Amino acid sequence: MADEDQSKKKTNNPKSYQVRKECIKRKSMELATLCDIKVCTVITGPNGELQTWPDNLDACKEVLDLYSQNLKPEKKHKESSTPIPEPEEEQGEKDLLTIVESKLVAVNRRIRFLENKNVALADKGKRKIIE
């Protein structure tokens, strides 16, 4: 029960939120710089406030427009509003989806591992203080 209270305190802590938010913005900037790609981060705060990186909303809108354009199916035939996927394309999309899902599972596992490691290190530090 005490662990549950501590985890709630950590997640509702405004200082923790601020630190994590700045980390996400910094990582977005690094990704954009190192990979020479367009990146936009949209963060909804605990009180519902919306923050973006980059702060320039026109730059964010540009990235979001690119994203939404890539979601729209391409028109191959004028009379048909939805493209007819070729069997090879469809299989390729399924393969890509499978790869992305497996990567997501691996990333989530790594996050849980690191969170547990941080908790263990924090607990270890507390024990030293008590001793």
Side-chain angles (χ1 to χ4, degrees), residues 11-29:
T11 57
N12 292 332
N13 184 349
K15 180 71 174 167
S16 176
Y17 164 74
Q18 189 67 24
V19 169
R20 289 172 188 245
K21 179 185 73 168
E22 293 305 318
C23 180
I24 289 171
K25 286 183 174 183
R26 185 177 68 248
K27 294 295 182 183
S28 297
M29 182 180 63

Side-chain angles (χ1 to χ4, degrees), residues 16-73:
S16 176
Y17 164 74
Q18 189 67 24
V19 169
R20 289 172 188 245
K21 179 185 73 168
E22 293 305 318
C23 180
I24 289 171
K25 286 183 174 183
R26 185 177 68 248
K27 294 295 182 183
S28 297
M29 182 180 63
E30 290 173 2
L31 182 65
T33 303
L34 295 173
C35 298
D36 194 28
I37 60 172
K38 294 182 183 216
V39 176
C40 171
T41 304
V42 179
I43 301 169
T44 305
N47 297 331
E49 71 275 9
L50 200 63
Q51 296 180 10
T52 62
W53 183 90
D55 294 327
N56 178 353
L57 293 180
D58 290 333
C60 287
K61 185 174 179 347
E62 181 183 344
V63 174
L64 293 173
D65 287 343
L66 284 171
Y67 175 75
S68 62
Q69 286 173 1
N70 286 326
L71 291 179
K72 292 179 185 173

